[in-house]
Amino acid sequence: MAEQTIDRRVIADCQQGDRDAFRLLFEAYKDKVFSLAVYSFGGDKSAADDVTQQIFLKLFSAIGQFRGESEFTTWLYRLVVNACTDERRRRKRLLPLGETLVMSDVSGRKPQEKQFARLEISEAVQAAIGELKPKFRLPILLKYIEGLSYEEIATVLNCSKGTVASRLNRGHSQLAKRLSYLKNQTALGD
Amino acid sequence: MFFHHVTKDFSAYVHGELSSEESRRFAEHIISCQRCRSKFEEIKLGIKFAEQLPRLTAPDHLWEEIENLRARQSVPVTQIVAPRRFISNWKPQLAGIAAVLLMAIGVGILWSYRTRPSTPVGPSWRVARLGGTPKIGSAGISNGGQLGVGQWLETDSTSKAEISVASIGQVQIDPNTRVRLVETQPTEHRLELARGKMSARIWAPPRLFFVDTPSAVAADLGCAYTLEVDDSGASLLRVTFGWVALELKDRESMVPSGAACQTRPGIGPGTPYFEDVSAAFRDALAQFDFGSDPATRKAALDQLLEEPAEARNTLTLWHLLSRVDGNERVRVYEKLASLWPPPKGVSREGILNLDQEMLERWKDNLAAGWAQRPLAPASLLDPLSRVKRFVRQMKHKIAD
């Protein structure tokens, strides 16, 4: 469903508790929210499932607080980023080994060429994204999955545009280094 | 400019987040700063990888589960049950008027589509008419139009157009020319020139703008140039500022300002030459590059090596090193070394074995003599000029 169908009227209807409007909102953003969640949890789709549900539940109960002072998407992504961060912290507290196990499954093997050797490019990129620190991963996800501008990313992450630019540089650089062995693959070649 | 590296702006430049003035400064710096250029290539690669990141599809059961959770949490929901108004509620005469109006709008839209180029979906480049009636697809443009990915822009014998290449430059399309927008992305902009002539002025960092021709790909390295393709698919590149690389498979020609290079289908780029070389030199080079008879090619090479000592011939000779074998390579090396001795760290043996690092180092050293103005052979430079050149090089090294 196109994102353009979400206008002020739909949001106003959501604030009035209109179920159809909620469904419209859900359909417009579910893939984006789910993608962000999957990449935030290192590819764990089950965890992403749970957190996506929580995000939409929270969205539906908190949408009354949206005053239209900022863009709705910015407000939504702030909610998503906060929910993912909280959930990661919660899981770290409750299952201190859980996340480490997921990450070590990917990063424990050396060299990196072997790590992703059998994966397709997009899978390799997903795995490499999962290895980035959250502060470098989130700007990349907001840029490439959500298509936000630097200013919007800065608002969502509550930092300056310069910080966004700097973190994207670091993220891109780390991706290039981790995946340099794929440089000559035809899909990426000049 | 060398003291203000642009490392913090790499991603912002590619994402179009810099102002036009900042973009211009960025491009100017990166063309002249090897360190930033190399780092920028790494960032561009990272961006290309990030662009491969797919958006995932949420599972179908998600909405149902959310509904269940909402029911359990008793989130108050006021279902709006106000009846929607549908056509079935309209009075028949109102429906009739609406149908007529819809038909009229449909006819209007159809007429509009037949007389105007359709607006492309997705990214596109602005096209300005400079004369006559250039066409995008089958529709003529009166003042301006948008060239979408996959669309052809064609000029006849009386028309000309100018394309704005995203935010990185402009391309003038001469009469009787046919070009197609192949791709436009932050990390790559690509045109196809099927026939005719175009003039490009690009102020982007190297390797962002490419032109495909039937016999080679022109990769912009920060420059201005004209590219002409004839009906056989052969092309002629003439560079007026900066550098252009012509490529086909493993064959590459680096063409600096003031130089030209021809290409042929099935062969690729020939050997570049400065435009002020003699006609005999140019003819011999064409025979060597594109001749099919080995004896004729050998005679052409002999003629090239017998040409009077000119520092500017070093552009051609350097390229010939990797295009000849055995004794011929030795002869080309001797001639080149007599015009411009290899710099420190570049050995005769390394060059004869085509050591890429040494070839590049010699080329970078030679490039000082490939400036627009004619230079005297290195051996004839007076001591003062040598000192001046040395000081200039040291200044650049220190600054970089």
Side-chain angles (χ1 to χ4, degrees):
Chain A
M1 186 163 300
E3 194 178 313
Q4 288 89 325
T5 56
I6 303 303
D7 53 20
R8 285 178 184 279
R9 188 184 56 79
V10 175
I11 292 166
D13 287 350
C14 285
Q15 289 173 326
Q16 296 298 315
D18 183 342
R19 182 182 174 280
D20 291 342
F22 276 142
R23 183 70 198 255
L24 209 60
L25 198 68
F26 171 79
E27 292 294 339
Y29 291 106
K30 66 181 168 96
D31 292 343
K32 290 182 169 189
V33 172
F34 180 71
S35 302
L36 259 180
V38 170
Y39 294 129
S40 292
F41 289 96
D44 184 345
K45 289 192 174 172
S46 164
D49 238 43
D50 292 345
V51 86
T52 305
Q53 288 175 24
Q54 294 304 323
I55 287 165
F56 277 104
L57 280 172
K58 194 166 184 182
L59 171 69
F60 296 159
S61 61
I63 198 162
Q65 294 163 20
F66 175 66
R67 300 280 169 232
E69 288 157 358
S70 59
E71 283 292 319
F72 173 73
T73 46
T74 316
W75 184 81
L76 169 66
Y77 291 130
R78 195 172 234 181
L79 195 74
V80 175
V81 166
N82 288 342
C84 289
T85 309
D86 290 348
E87 185 62 15
R88 283 174 64 88
R89 283 193 190 129
R90 195 182 69 83
R91 281 170 182 255
K92 232 175 186 173
R93 271 202 313 272
L94 295 177
L95 299 164
L97 293 177
E99 189 171 281
T100 314
L101 283 173
V102 171
M103 295 312 286
S104 66
D105 188 42
V106 180
S107 61
R109 286 168 276 160
K110 302 274 179 179
Q112 283 188 318
E113 281 83 348
K114 286 182 184 170
Q115 225 175 76
F116 308 128
R118 293 181 185 174
L119 301 177
E120 294 297 325
I121 289 179
S122 74
E123 289 172 317
V125 174
Q126 288 177 53
I129 288 276
E131 289 189 343
L132 295 178
K133 284 183 179 171
K135 69 176 180 179
F136 301 133
R137 181 171 55 223
L138 281 171
I140 285 186
L141 295 179
L142 291 169
K143 181 72 205 162
Y144 295 97
I145 300 292
E146 316 300 340
L148 301 191
S149 68
Y150 282 24
E151 194 160 353
E152 289 167 328
I153 296 172
T155 308
V156 172
L157 299 179
N158 199 20
C159 63
S160 70
K161 266 176 79 175
T163 303
V164 171
S166 161
R167 289 180 184 175
L168 279 170
N169 273 342
R170 295 276 301 275
H172 290 139
S173 174
Q174 288 182 23
L175 278 185
K177 281 175 183 151
R178 284 166 202 261
L179 299 168
S180 59
Y181 66 99
L182 291 170
K183 187 178 175 182
N184 294 324
Q185 297 256 343
T186 49
L188 289 163
D190 285 336
Chain B
M1 123 170 80
F2 287 94
F3 296 100
H4 295 92
H5 293 294
V6 291
T7 43
K8 68 180 175 59
D9 291 333
F10 288 144
S11 300
Y13 178 84
V14 175
H15 289 141
E17 291 276 349
L18 299 181
S19 69
S20 53
E21 178 58 23
E22 288 168 334
S23 293
R24 189 187 59 76
R25 277 205 303 268
F26 178 94
E28 276 178 8
H29 176 85
I30 212 153
I31 286 166
S32 51
C33 176
Q34 172 62 40
R35 187 180 125 186
C36 283
R37 203 158 59 234
S38 154
K39 186 70 185 164
F40 184 51
E41 287 301 314
E42 181 184 285
I43 298 291
K44 270 168 53 183
L45 181 64
I47 289 172
K48 283 190 174 185
F49 283 127
E51 285 170 343
Q52 306 282 317
L53 204 59
R55 183 182 294 171
L56 307 172
T57 307
D60 292 335
H61 58 82
L62 216 51
W63 175 251
E64 205 177 313
E65 286 170 9
I66 290 169
E67 288 266 87
N68 290 339
L69 282 168
R70 273 160 56 107
R72 260 184 272 157
Q73 290 179 357
S74 306
V75 174
V77 173
T78 313
Q79 290 201 19
I80 306 273
V81 288
R84 312 261 184 209
R85 291 182 179 176
F86 294 102
I87 292 176
S88 58
N89 291 342
W90 291 6
K91 290 180 179 176
Q93 55 268 43
L94 203 57
I97 293 168
V100 170
L101 275 173
L102 281 173
M103 274 180 67
I105 291 167
V107 169
I109 290 170
L110 200 64
W111 182 82
S112 163
Y113 268 103
R114 291 180 64 156
T115 53
R116 279 190 318 189
S118 58
T119 304
V121 176
S124 60
W125 291 350
R126 190 164 51 79
V127 179
R129 184 184 71 93
L130 298 182
T133 311
K135 285 181 178 175
I136 294 177
S138 57
I141 57 172
S142 49
N143 287 318
Q146 292 293 129
L147 183 66
V149 173
Q151 284 189 308
W152 287 95
L153 169 65
E154 194 162 3
T155 54
D156 59 16
S157 60
T158 59
S159 56
K160 283 174 80 172
E162 187 170 76
I163 304 173
S164 297
V165 182
S167 58
I168 62 163
Q170 285 174 321
V171 173
Q172 185 174 308
I173 306 298
D174 278 11
N176 294 317
T177 299
R178 190 169 148 77
V179 293
R180 181 170 70 99
L181 173 54
V182 178
E183 188 174 17
T184 179
Q185 289 186 26
T187 50
E188 184 171 313
H189 305 281
R190 191 177 285 266
L191 267 182
E192 177 185 352
L193 174 62
R195 68 146 200 276
K197 185 177 175 186
M198 54 165 269
S199 309
R201 281 176 292 131
I202 303 295
W203 43 85
R207 295 192 176 277
L208 267 188
F209 179 64
F210 299 86
V211 180
D212 295 346
T213 75
S215 48
V217 176
D220 165 83
L221 304 176
C223 57
Y225 63 91
T226 64
L227 187 57
E228 201 167 352
V229 174
D230 67 19
D231 290 336
S232 73
S235 65
L236 172 65
L237 167 78
R238 303 172 78 177
V239 180
T240 50
F241 178 77
W243 288 81
V244 175
L246 276 175
E247 301 160 347
L248 187 74
K249 295 177 184 166
D250 294 335
R251 199 174 164 104
E252 182 183 60
S253 291
M254 300 290 291
V255 191
S257 173
C261 188
Q262 298 186 48
T263 71
R264 293 287 185 279
I267 298 173
T271 312
Y273 55 90
F274 278 104
E275 297 211 68
D276 53 6
V277 296
S278 68
F281 186 91
R282 203 178 300 196
D283 291 344
L285 194 57
Q287 285 289 339
F288 173 79
D289 283 333
F290 309 120
S292 53
D293 174 34
T296 312
R297 293 189 71 225
K298 186 179 178 309
L301 181 66
D302 290 344
Q303 191 178 341
L304 289 169
L305 296 177
E306 283 163 14
E307 278 287 306
E310 282 283 347
R312 288 160 76 75
N313 291 355
T314 56
L315 169 69
T316 304
L317 293 170
W318 180 86
H319 280 83
L320 285 176
L321 281 170
S322 53
R323 296 175 187 197
V324 292
D325 298 316
N327 189 46
E328 288 184 340
R329 186 174 298 153
V330 175
R331 291 173 63 209
V332 172
Y333 171 85
E334 300 294 353
K335 177 79 177 183
L336 181 55
S338 72
L339 290 171
W340 196 286
K344 195 178 172 187
V346 176
S347 69
R348 182 179 194 274
E349 190 186 12
I351 293 297
L352 294 180
N353 287 323
L354 299 184
D355 180 300
Q356 286 307 306
E357 201 175 309
M358 288 195 191
L359 280 168
E360 283 301 313
R361 197 179 298 177
W362 200 1
K363 186 193 77 184
D364 290 344
N365 186 260
L366 286 162
W370 296 344
Q372 183 71 45
R373 66 186 171 81
L375 289 179
S379 56
L380 299 179
L381 288 175
D382 64 65
L384 183 61
S385 301
R386 286 188 181 201
V387 170
K388 280 180 181 170
R389 190 164 150 249
F390 174 76
V391 170
R392 206 165 51 237
Q393 285 177 344
M394 289 311 291
K395 270 185 181 172
H396 279 202
K397 275 187 182 166
I398 291 165
D400 203 16

